[in-house]
Amino acid sequence: MTDLNLLLLQTVTGIALGSVYALLAIGLSLIFGMLTVVNFAHGAYFMVGAYIGVYVLSATGSFFASLLAVFFSTGLFGLLTERVLVRPLYGRGPDYPLLLTFGLSYVIIDVIRIIFGVEGLQSSTPAALQGSVNIGIGYFPIYRLFLIAAAAVIITALWLFIEKSRYGLIIRAGARDPEIVRILGIDVAKVWLLVFGLGTAIAGLSGVLAAPIRTVTPEMGIPVLVESFVVTVVGGMGSIGGAVIAGLLVGVVYSLTALYAPALAELSIFALMALVLVVRPQGLFGREGLME
Amino acid sequence: MSETNIRRRKLLLSAAAAATTPFWINSVRAQEGPIRIGYPVPLTGPYAAEAKDQVQGAELAIMEFNESGGLNGRKCELLVRDTKLSPGEAATRTLELIEKDKANFIVGSLSSSVQLAVNNVAKERRIIYSSISQSDTINEVKDWSPYTFHEAMNPTMTAGAVGRYVFPKYGKRIAFLTADYAYGHEMVKGFQRAGKPFGVETLIDIRHPIGASDYSTFLPRIMSLKPDILFFCNFGRDLISSIKQAGDFGLKNNTRFVTPQLTLTARLAGGSDVFDGVIGGATYYWRLEDTVPSAKAFNDKYRKAYAGAVPSDFSALGYSSVRAILTAARNAGSTDSDKVSTALRQLKYDFTKGPEYYRNCDHQAVQSVLVIESKSKNMKDKNDVFDIVAIEKPDESHLRSCQELGHKA
C-alpha cells in the first residue's frame, strides 16, 4: 500500500464516519433551526433507533423492514415528545426545553436498561453487506460503503422534501417568520410537531445504520450527542447544508488526525470547533441571532 | 505564661493529635452481627455485563457460606455498589461502605485505575481489599499494603502466557491497538516483556480513548503495516467494537487477532463471527470441568443457582475471592483485618481452577493461566465457544520478582 493510497483510504474512512455525523447533525439542526429547541435527547433517540432496529431485524430478518420500523417508531416517539413535553415550554427561552430534553435522555436510557438489560444487544452486519471489497486504493468494508450511500439517499430525500415540496415550503416559511405563516391560516403548531418528529426519526435511522459497526448499549448515544453538537456548531446551528458539510469535514479531520497522531484525534474535532467559533461564531453556514 | 495560654496550647495539641490519628481507630469493626462485604463494581457502563457476573459469583460464595453455618452463626451479606467505572465514584462508594455501612471487607472493582482508588481508601482504614481486576501496579510496594490482596491475574502473567503461546506460532511482527489507560499500557508492557526472548518487533502501538465507539480511523494504517499479530489491549465493549470493525476491514485475512483477556461474556455479547479465531488469555473457562474436579463442582453449583448458566471469568473471580476471605475468616475465627490477612497468607485453596495461593510478599494469587481460542464450529451448546489451547501451570517465575516490585523478598 503506497502512502497516497493510505491517505486516500483514510479519507474514505473519514467520509464514512462523517456520513453518520452528518445524519445525526441534520436531525439536531432541523429541530433547532425551526423550533429553536436544543434537543439534548438526540443521542437517546439514536440509541432507541438502534435497539428497535436490532430487535426488528432479528424478528423479521429484513434490514429494510428494520429501517422502516425505526423511522416510523422513533418519529412517532418524537411526535409524542413534542406534543406532550416540549410544546408547553414554547416561548420560555431555549434553556427550558434544553433542560427538559436533558432529563428525558436519562429517563429513556434507564427505561432501555430496565427493558433490555445493561449489557446491550448483539448486532451483526446484514449478510449481504458483510466483508470488505477492494475499492482500488485498498480494502474497505462493504457496510461502510453502504453507510455512505444510505446517508446520501436520506439527505437527498430530506432536501427534496424541504426544498421542493409544498410542506417543505411551509416549514421553511415557518422557520423564517412564524407570525406571517400563522396569519396566512396555517397551523404552525402542526408544522413544529412534524419537524420534531422528522428530526427524531432521522436520529433513529442513524442509530439503526450505526448499529452493525458499534455495540448496541443503553449508553451508546452519549458520546454521539457530543459529536453531533460539535458538527452542528461547526456547520452552523439551524443550517441543514451546513450540517452535511460539517459532518463530512469533522469525519475527515478526525480520520486524518488519527493517521498521523492517533492520540490527538479526539481533540482535533474540538480544536476545529474552537477555530470555527473564533473565526465565524455563527458556524460555517449559520444565521446570526438564532439563540436570541 | 497565663492560664488561658496554657489551655489554648493544650487545645491545639489535642487537635493536632486528633488530626494525626489514623483513620482506622475511628472505624473499629463490629465483631458480631452480620459480616458485611462491600462490593464496588461497574454496574453501568461499558463493563456492565462483566460486573453482573462478578456479583453472581460473589453471591454464590456467600450463599454457600451462610448455608454451612457462617462464622460461628454469623451470616454474611453482600453490599453491591456501582462504581460507574470512575475512580472518584468508586472511592466515594468504598468510603461509604467502610464508614457508613461498616463493611468488614471490600472485594471487587473492574478496571485497573478504579481498583487502585478502592485500594487506597481501604488500606488507609486497614480494611482488607481483594481485587478481582487485572493490575500490575497494585502489587508494587507503593500501592500495596498488608491488607491488599490480588485475586485476579496480573498483566505480566496474562500477557506472558498468551505471548509465549502466540509468538512462536504466529510470528514476530506485532501491532497494538490499546485502550489509553493503565490496563492497556500494562498489557502492552507484558507482551513486550514476554516477546523479548523471541525477538519480536513492535510495528506500531495505537492508543485510543477508553469507551471509543469507532475504530475505523486507526485501521488503514495497521493494515498497511501487515503485522503477523494484532494485539487488542482493550476490554469489554471496546474490545467487541474494535475486533468487529477490524474484521470488517478484512484485517483478519493476514493477521492473527489476539487479546490479553478473552472472556465468555465478551464472546457471547459479540457473537461467533466477530470472535472467530481470536486468541486470548483467561482466568477461567467453564470447559475446565473436563479435567479439573473443582471446576466441575463450581460449575454445577453455579448452574443450579442461576438457571443453567455457566460461570464466566468474572463469576469465577467473584466467587473465589469472596470464598477465600470467608474461609480465612473461619480459619482465623474472626473478622479482624490482621487475623484474616494472616489466615489468607496461609491459605492454600482450590475453589474453581486447581491449586492457588497468595504469594507472601505481595499477596498476588499464584494460579494457572489459560490460553483459549474462539471457535465457530463444533460447538456442543451455545456456551461452548472456546478451545483451551494451552494452560500455564501456577509458577512464581512467571511473575515479576518480589524485589522487582520493591518488596523485601
Side-chain angles (χ1 to χ4, degrees), chain A residues 109-161:
Chain A
I109 290 173
D110 262 321
V111 167
I112 291 287
R113 279 182 190 148
I114 292 166
I115 301 176
F116 293 97
V118 294
E119 303 92 346
L121 297 183
Q122 191 178 319
S123 63
S124 49
T125 316
L129 301 170
Q130 278 173 6
S132 58
V133 62
N134 195 336
I135 54 169
I137 48 174
Y139 280 87
F140 197 74
I142 297 169
Y143 188 79
R144 281 179 198 262
L145 293 174
F146 166 77
L147 203 59
I148 299 175
V153 168
I154 294 169
I155 291 165
T156 312
L158 186 72
W159 181 79
L160 286 174
F161 175 72

Short mmCIF file of all heavy atoms in Angstrom, two decimals, chain A residues 109-161:
data_model
loop_
_atom_site.label_atom_id
_atom_site.label_comp_id
_atom_site.label_asym_id
_atom_site.label_seq_id
_atom_site.Cartn_x
_atom_site.Cartn_y
_atom_site.Cartn_z
N ILE A 109 -32.70 6.34 28.72
CA ILE A 109 -31.60 5.39 28.92
C ILE A 109 -31.96 4.38 30.01
O ILE A 109 -31.76 3.17 29.86
CB ILE A 109 -30.30 6.15 29.29
CG1 ILE A 109 -29.79 6.91 28.06
CG2 ILE A 109 -29.23 5.18 29.78
CD1 ILE A 109 -28.61 7.82 28.35
N ASP A 110 -32.55 4.86 31.09
CA ASP A 110 -32.88 3.94 32.17
C ASP A 110 -34.02 3.00 31.81
O ASP A 110 -34.02 1.84 32.22
CB ASP A 110 -33.17 4.70 33.47
CG ASP A 110 -31.94 4.73 34.37
OD1 ASP A 110 -31.25 3.69 34.42
OD2 ASP A 110 -31.65 5.77 34.99
N VAL A 111 -34.98 3.49 31.03
CA VAL A 111 -36.07 2.61 30.60
C VAL A 111 -35.50 1.48 29.74
O VAL A 111 -35.85 0.31 29.91
CB VAL A 111 -37.14 3.41 29.83
CG1 VAL A 111 -38.10 2.47 29.10
CG2 VAL A 111 -37.91 4.31 30.79
N ILE A 112 -34.57 1.83 28.84
CA ILE A 112 -33.95 0.80 27.99
C ILE A 112 -33.17 -0.19 28.85
O ILE A 112 -33.21 -1.40 28.63
CB ILE A 112 -33.03 1.46 26.93
CG1 ILE A 112 -33.88 2.22 25.90
CG2 ILE A 112 -32.14 0.43 26.25
CD1 ILE A 112 -34.63 1.33 24.92
N ARG A 113 -32.47 0.32 29.87
CA ARG A 113 -31.74 -0.58 30.78
C ARG A 113 -32.69 -1.56 31.45
O ARG A 113 -32.38 -2.73 31.63
CB ARG A 113 -31.03 0.23 31.87
CG ARG A 113 -29.71 0.83 31.44
CD ARG A 113 -29.07 1.56 32.61
NE ARG A 113 -27.92 2.34 32.16
CZ ARG A 113 -27.54 3.48 32.72
NH1 ARG A 113 -28.21 3.99 33.74
NH2 ARG A 113 -26.49 4.12 32.26
N ILE A 114 -33.87 -1.04 31.85
CA ILE A 114 -34.83 -1.91 32.54
C ILE A 114 -35.39 -2.96 31.58
O ILE A 114 -35.50 -4.13 31.92
CB ILE A 114 -35.97 -1.05 33.15
CG1 ILE A 114 -35.42 -0.19 34.29
CG2 ILE A 114 -37.11 -1.94 33.66
CD1 ILE A 114 -36.35 0.93 34.74
N ILE A 115 -35.72 -2.53 30.36
CA ILE A 115 -36.34 -3.48 29.41
C ILE A 115 -35.32 -4.48 28.86
O ILE A 115 -35.56 -5.68 28.83
CB ILE A 115 -37.00 -2.73 28.24
CG1 ILE A 115 -38.08 -1.76 28.76
CG2 ILE A 115 -37.62 -3.72 27.25
CD1 ILE A 115 -38.71 -0.92 27.67
N PHE A 116 -34.17 -3.98 28.40
CA PHE A 116 -33.24 -4.85 27.67
C PHE A 116 -32.01 -5.24 28.48
O PHE A 116 -31.17 -5.99 28.02
CB PHE A 116 -32.76 -4.17 26.38
CG PHE A 116 -33.85 -3.99 25.35
CD1 PHE A 116 -34.52 -2.79 25.24
CD2 PHE A 116 -34.20 -5.04 24.50
CE1 PHE A 116 -35.51 -2.62 24.29
CE2 PHE A 116 -35.20 -4.87 23.56
CZ PHE A 116 -35.86 -3.65 23.46
N GLY A 117 -31.85 -4.69 29.69
CA GLY A 117 -30.68 -5.01 30.50
C GLY A 117 -29.53 -4.07 30.21
O GLY A 117 -29.54 -3.36 29.19
N VAL A 118 -28.53 -4.07 31.11
CA VAL A 118 -27.42 -3.12 30.97
C VAL A 118 -26.36 -3.62 30.00
O VAL A 118 -25.48 -2.87 29.61
CB VAL A 118 -26.75 -2.84 32.33
CG1 VAL A 118 -27.71 -2.12 33.26
CG2 VAL A 118 -26.27 -4.12 32.98
N GLU A 119 -26.42 -4.91 29.60
CA GLU A 119 -25.31 -5.47 28.82
C GLU A 119 -25.32 -5.04 27.37
O GLU A 119 -24.31 -5.10 26.70
CB GLU A 119 -25.33 -7.00 28.84
CG GLU A 119 -25.28 -7.63 30.20
CD GLU A 119 -26.67 -7.87 30.75
OE1 GLU A 119 -27.63 -7.33 30.19
OE2 GLU A 119 -26.80 -8.59 31.76
N GLY A 120 -26.49 -4.64 26.87
CA GLY A 120 -26.55 -4.30 25.46
C GLY A 120 -26.96 -5.48 24.61
O GLY A 120 -27.10 -6.61 25.10
N LEU A 121 -27.20 -5.24 23.32
CA LEU A 121 -27.65 -6.28 22.40
C LEU A 121 -26.54 -6.62 21.42
O LEU A 121 -25.70 -5.80 21.11
CB LEU A 121 -28.87 -5.80 21.59
CG LEU A 121 -30.15 -5.46 22.33
CD1 LEU A 121 -31.23 -5.09 21.33
CD2 LEU A 121 -30.61 -6.64 23.18
N GLN A 122 -26.59 -7.85 20.93
CA GLN A 122 -25.65 -8.25 19.90
C GLN A 122 -26.18 -7.77 18.55
O GLN A 122 -27.34 -7.99 18.23
CB GLN A 122 -25.55 -9.77 19.92
CG GLN A 122 -24.42 -10.32 19.09
CD GLN A 122 -24.38 -11.84 19.21
OE1 GLN A 122 -24.56 -12.40 20.28
NE2 GLN A 122 -24.17 -12.50 18.09
N SER A 123 -25.37 -7.07 17.78
CA SER A 123 -25.84 -6.59 16.49
C SER A 123 -24.86 -7.05 15.42
O SER A 123 -23.66 -6.92 15.59
CB SER A 123 -25.91 -5.07 16.49
OG SER A 123 -24.63 -4.53 16.66
N SER A 124 -25.41 -7.62 14.35
CA SER A 124 -24.48 -8.07 13.32
C SER A 124 -24.81 -7.37 12.00
O SER A 124 -25.91 -6.87 11.79
CB SER A 124 -24.55 -9.59 13.16
OG SER A 124 -25.89 -9.98 13.05
N THR A 125 -23.82 -7.35 11.14
CA THR A 125 -23.99 -6.74 9.83
C THR A 125 -24.91 -7.62 8.98
O THR A 125 -24.75 -8.83 8.99
CB THR A 125 -22.61 -6.63 9.14
OG1 THR A 125 -21.68 -6.16 10.11
CG2 THR A 125 -22.64 -5.72 7.96
N PRO A 126 -25.87 -7.03 8.24
CA PRO A 126 -26.71 -7.84 7.36
C PRO A 126 -25.84 -8.67 6.41
O PRO A 126 -24.84 -8.17 5.90
CB PRO A 126 -27.52 -6.80 6.58
CG PRO A 126 -27.45 -5.55 7.38
CD PRO A 126 -26.20 -5.61 8.19
N ALA A 127 -26.24 -9.95 6.21
CA ALA A 127 -25.39 -10.89 5.48
C ALA A 127 -24.89 -10.35 4.15
O ALA A 127 -23.72 -10.52 3.78
CB ALA A 127 -26.14 -12.19 5.28
N ALA A 128 -25.77 -9.66 3.42
CA ALA A 128 -25.41 -9.20 2.08
C ALA A 128 -24.34 -8.11 2.12
O ALA A 128 -23.69 -7.84 1.12
CB ALA A 128 -26.65 -8.68 1.37
N LEU A 129 -24.17 -7.48 3.27
CA LEU A 129 -23.24 -6.34 3.34
C LEU A 129 -22.00 -6.66 4.16
O LEU A 129 -21.26 -5.77 4.55
CB LEU A 129 -23.97 -5.14 3.94
CG LEU A 129 -25.21 -4.67 3.17
CD1 LEU A 129 -25.99 -3.65 3.97
CD2 LEU A 129 -24.80 -4.08 1.82
N GLN A 130 -21.76 -7.95 4.41
CA GLN A 130 -20.59 -8.32 5.20
C GLN A 130 -19.32 -8.34 4.35
O GLN A 130 -19.39 -8.43 3.13
CB GLN A 130 -20.80 -9.70 5.84
CG GLN A 130 -21.62 -9.62 7.11
CD GLN A 130 -21.96 -10.99 7.66
OE1 GLN A 130 -21.50 -12.00 7.14
NE2 GLN A 130 -22.78 -11.01 8.69
N GLY A 131 -18.18 -8.26 5.03
CA GLY A 131 -16.90 -8.40 4.34
C GLY A 131 -16.39 -7.09 3.78
O GLY A 131 -16.97 -6.03 3.98
N SER A 132 -15.25 -7.19 3.08
CA SER A 132 -14.67 -5.97 2.54
C SER A 132 -14.40 -6.16 1.05
O SER A 132 -14.39 -7.27 0.53
CB SER A 132 -13.37 -5.65 3.28
OG SER A 132 -12.48 -6.73 3.16
N VAL A 133 -14.22 -5.05 0.36
CA VAL A 133 -14.06 -5.10 -1.10
C VAL A 133 -12.93 -4.15 -1.48
O VAL A 133 -12.70 -3.14 -0.82
CB VAL A 133 -15.40 -4.72 -1.78
CG1 VAL A 133 -15.80 -3.29 -1.43
CG2 VAL A 133 -15.33 -4.89 -3.28
N ASN A 134 -12.20 -4.51 -2.54
CA ASN A 134 -11.11 -3.65 -2.99
C ASN A 134 -11.68 -2.48 -3.77
O ASN A 134 -12.30 -2.65 -4.80
CB ASN A 134 -10.14 -4.46 -3.87
CG ASN A 134 -8.82 -3.73 -4.07
OD1 ASN A 134 -8.77 -2.50 -3.95
ND2 ASN A 134 -7.77 -4.47 -4.34
N ILE A 135 -11.47 -1.27 -3.27
CA ILE A 135 -12.02 -0.10 -3.97
C ILE A 135 -10.93 0.63 -4.77
O ILE A 135 -11.06 1.80 -5.07
CB ILE A 135 -12.71 0.88 -2.98
CG1 ILE A 135 -11.77 1.29 -1.84
CG2 ILE A 135 -13.98 0.28 -2.41
CD1 ILE A 135 -12.30 2.43 -0.99
N GLY A 136 -9.87 -0.10 -5.11
CA GLY A 136 -8.82 0.49 -5.96
C GLY A 136 -7.66 1.05 -5.16
O GLY A 136 -6.53 1.08 -5.62
N ILE A 137 -7.97 1.51 -3.95
CA ILE A 137 -6.90 2.05 -3.11
C ILE A 137 -6.66 1.16 -1.91
O ILE A 137 -5.87 1.48 -1.02
CB ILE A 137 -7.26 3.48 -2.63
CG1 ILE A 137 -8.70 3.51 -2.08
CG2 ILE A 137 -7.09 4.49 -3.73
CD1 ILE A 137 -9.10 4.82 -1.46
N GLY A 138 -7.34 0.02 -1.85
CA GLY A 138 -7.19 -0.89 -0.73
C GLY A 138 -8.56 -1.46 -0.36
O GLY A 138 -9.57 -1.09 -0.95
N TYR A 139 -8.55 -2.37 0.62
CA TYR A 139 -9.80 -3.00 1.02
C TYR A 139 -10.59 -2.11 1.96
O TYR A 139 -10.02 -1.43 2.81
CB TYR A 139 -9.53 -4.36 1.66
CG TYR A 139 -9.27 -5.42 0.63
CD1 TYR A 139 -7.99 -5.64 0.12
CD2 TYR A 139 -10.34 -6.16 0.12
CE1 TYR A 139 -7.77 -6.58 -0.85
CE2 TYR A 139 -10.13 -7.10 -0.87
CZ TYR A 139 -8.84 -7.32 -1.35
OH TYR A 139 -8.64 -8.24 -2.34
N PHE A 140 -11.90 -2.09 1.76
CA PHE A 140 -12.76 -1.25 2.58
C PHE A 140 -14.04 -2.02 2.88
O PHE A 140 -14.56 -2.74 2.02
CB PHE A 140 -13.08 0.05 1.83
CG PHE A 140 -13.60 1.13 2.73
CD1 PHE A 140 -12.76 1.81 3.60
CD2 PHE A 140 -14.95 1.46 2.72
CE1 PHE A 140 -13.25 2.79 4.44
CE2 PHE A 140 -15.45 2.44 3.56
CZ PHE A 140 -14.60 3.11 4.42
N PRO A 141 -14.56 -1.92 4.10
CA PRO A 141 -15.75 -2.69 4.44
C PRO A 141 -16.96 -2.31 3.58
O PRO A 141 -17.24 -1.12 3.40
CB PRO A 141 -16.03 -2.32 5.91
CG PRO A 141 -14.79 -1.71 6.41
CD PRO A 141 -14.09 -1.12 5.24
N ILE A 142 -17.66 -3.32 3.09
CA ILE A 142 -18.83 -3.07 2.24
C ILE A 142 -19.88 -2.29 3.00
O ILE A 142 -20.51 -1.38 2.47
CB ILE A 142 -19.41 -4.42 1.74
CG1 ILE A 142 -18.37 -5.12 0.86
CG2 ILE A 142 -20.70 -4.22 0.97
CD1 ILE A 142 -18.72 -6.54 0.52
N TYR A 143 -20.02 -2.65 4.28
CA TYR A 143 -21.09 -1.99 5.04
C TYR A 143 -20.86 -0.48 5.14
O TYR A 143 -21.80 0.30 5.09
CB TYR A 143 -21.25 -2.60 6.43
CG TYR A 143 -22.46 -2.04 7.12
CD1 TYR A 143 -23.72 -2.52 6.80
CD2 TYR A 143 -22.36 -0.98 8.02
CE1 TYR A 143 -24.86 -1.97 7.37
CE2 TYR A 143 -23.49 -0.42 8.59
CZ TYR A 143 -24.74 -0.93 8.27
OH TYR A 143 -25.85 -0.37 8.82
N ARG A 144 -19.59 -0.08 5.28
CA ARG A 144 -19.32 1.35 5.40
C ARG A 144 -19.57 2.08 4.08
O ARG A 144 -19.95 3.26 4.08
CB ARG A 144 -17.90 1.59 5.91
CG ARG A 144 -17.80 1.38 7.40
CD ARG A 144 -16.40 1.60 7.94
NE ARG A 144 -16.30 0.99 9.25
CZ ARG A 144 -16.41 1.65 10.42
NH1 ARG A 144 -16.62 2.93 10.42
NH2 ARG A 144 -16.33 1.01 11.56
N LEU A 145 -19.37 1.38 2.96
CA LEU A 145 -19.73 1.97 1.67
C LEU A 145 -21.24 2.16 1.60
O LEU A 145 -21.75 3.20 1.15
CB LEU A 145 -19.26 1.08 0.52
CG LEU A 145 -17.74 0.97 0.34
CD1 LEU A 145 -17.42 -0.06 -0.74
CD2 LEU A 145 -17.12 2.32 -0.03
N PHE A 146 -21.95 1.13 2.07
CA PHE A 146 -23.41 1.20 2.11
C PHE A 146 -23.86 2.38 2.98
O PHE A 146 -24.81 3.08 2.66
CB PHE A 146 -23.97 -0.11 2.64
CG PHE A 146 -25.41 -0.04 3.04
CD1 PHE A 146 -26.42 -0.06 2.08
CD2 PHE A 146 -25.78 0.06 4.37
CE1 PHE A 146 -27.76 0.03 2.44
CE2 PHE A 146 -27.10 0.15 4.76
CZ PHE A 146 -28.09 0.13 3.78
N LEU A 147 -23.13 2.58 4.07
CA LEU A 147 -23.47 3.66 5.00
C LEU A 147 -23.40 5.02 4.30
O LEU A 147 -24.27 5.87 4.47
CB LEU A 147 -22.47 3.61 6.16
CG LEU A 147 -22.86 4.21 7.48
CD1 LEU A 147 -24.11 3.53 8.01
CD2 LEU A 147 -21.72 4.04 8.47
N ILE A 148 -22.32 5.21 3.51
CA ILE A 148 -22.17 6.47 2.79
C ILE A 148 -23.35 6.65 1.83
O ILE A 148 -23.97 7.72 1.77
CB ILE A 148 -20.83 6.50 2.00
CG1 ILE A 148 -19.65 6.39 2.98
CG2 ILE A 148 -20.72 7.76 1.15
CD1 ILE A 148 -18.29 6.29 2.30
N ALA A 149 -23.69 5.56 1.10
CA ALA A 149 -24.78 5.63 0.13
C ALA A 149 -26.11 5.90 0.83
O ALA A 149 -26.90 6.75 0.39
CB ALA A 149 -24.86 4.32 -0.66
N ALA A 150 -26.35 5.19 1.95
CA ALA A 150 -27.61 5.35 2.66
C ALA A 150 -27.76 6.78 3.17
O ALA A 150 -28.83 7.39 3.06
CB ALA A 150 -27.69 4.36 3.82
N ALA A 151 -26.66 7.32 3.71
CA ALA A 151 -26.72 8.69 4.22
C ALA A 151 -27.02 9.65 3.07
O ALA A 151 -27.84 10.57 3.21
CB ALA A 151 -25.40 9.06 4.89
N ALA A 152 -26.39 9.42 1.91
CA ALA A 152 -26.62 10.28 0.75
C ALA A 152 -28.09 10.25 0.33
O ALA A 152 -28.69 11.29 0.03
CB ALA A 152 -25.72 9.87 -0.41
N VAL A 153 -28.68 9.04 0.34
CA VAL A 153 -30.09 8.90 -0.07
C VAL A 153 -31.00 9.65 0.91
O VAL A 153 -31.89 10.42 0.51
CB VAL A 153 -30.48 7.40 -0.14
CG1 VAL A 153 -31.99 7.25 -0.27
CG2 VAL A 153 -29.76 6.75 -1.31
N ILE A 154 -30.76 9.45 2.20
CA ILE A 154 -31.62 10.09 3.20
C ILE A 154 -31.51 11.61 3.13
O ILE A 154 -32.51 12.32 3.16
CB ILE A 154 -31.23 9.58 4.63
CG1 ILE A 154 -31.56 8.10 4.76
CG2 ILE A 154 -31.99 10.37 5.69
CD1 ILE A 154 -30.98 7.45 6.00
N ILE A 155 -30.26 12.08 2.97
CA ILE A 155 -30.06 13.53 2.92
C ILE A 155 -30.72 14.12 1.68
O ILE A 155 -31.38 15.16 1.74
CB ILE A 155 -28.54 13.85 2.96
CG1 ILE A 155 -27.99 13.52 4.35
CG2 ILE A 155 -28.28 15.30 2.62
CD1 ILE A 155 -26.48 13.45 4.44
N THR A 156 -30.57 13.43 0.53
CA THR A 156 -31.19 13.92 -0.70
C THR A 156 -32.71 13.95 -0.56
O THR A 156 -33.38 14.92 -0.95
CB THR A 156 -30.81 13.02 -1.90
OG1 THR A 156 -29.40 12.82 -1.86
CG2 THR A 156 -31.21 13.63 -3.21
N ALA A 157 -33.27 12.89 0.01
CA ALA A 157 -34.73 12.83 0.18
C ALA A 157 -35.20 13.98 1.06
O ALA A 157 -36.20 14.65 0.75
CB ALA A 157 -35.12 11.48 0.79
N LEU A 158 -34.46 14.22 2.13
CA LEU A 158 -34.85 15.30 3.03
C LEU A 158 -34.76 16.65 2.32
O LEU A 158 -35.64 17.52 2.46
CB LEU A 158 -33.92 15.29 4.25
CG LEU A 158 -34.30 16.27 5.34
CD1 LEU A 158 -35.56 15.80 6.05
CD2 LEU A 158 -33.17 16.45 6.34
N TRP A 159 -33.70 16.81 1.52
CA TRP A 159 -33.51 18.07 0.79
C TRP A 159 -34.67 18.31 -0.18
O TRP A 159 -35.24 19.38 -0.25
CB TRP A 159 -32.17 18.03 0.05
CG TRP A 159 -31.87 19.29 -0.71
CD1 TRP A 159 -31.40 20.47 -0.20
CD2 TRP A 159 -32.06 19.49 -2.11
NE1 TRP A 159 -31.28 21.40 -1.20
CE2 TRP A 159 -31.67 20.83 -2.38
CE3 TRP A 159 -32.50 18.69 -3.17
CZ2 TRP A 159 -31.73 21.37 -3.67
CZ3 TRP A 159 -32.55 19.21 -4.46
CH2 TRP A 159 -32.16 20.56 -4.69
N LEU A 160 -35.03 17.23 -0.91
CA LEU A 160 -36.14 17.36 -1.87
C LEU A 160 -37.43 17.73 -1.14
O LEU A 160 -38.20 18.57 -1.59
CB LEU A 160 -36.33 16.04 -2.64
CG LEU A 160 -35.27 15.75 -3.70
CD1 LEU A 160 -35.47 14.36 -4.29
CD2 LEU A 160 -35.33 16.81 -4.81
N PHE A 161 -37.64 17.07 0.02
CA PHE A 161 -38.85 17.32 0.79
C PHE A 161 -38.92 18.78 1.22
O PHE A 161 -39.95 19.44 1.07
CB PHE A 161 -38.88 16.39 2.01
CG PHE A 161 -40.03 16.64 2.93
CD1 PHE A 161 -41.33 16.29 2.56
CD2 PHE A 161 -39.83 17.23 4.18
CE1 PHE A 161 -42.39 16.53 3.41
CE2 PHE A 161 -40.89 17.47 5.03
CZ PHE A 161 -42.18 17.12 4.65
#
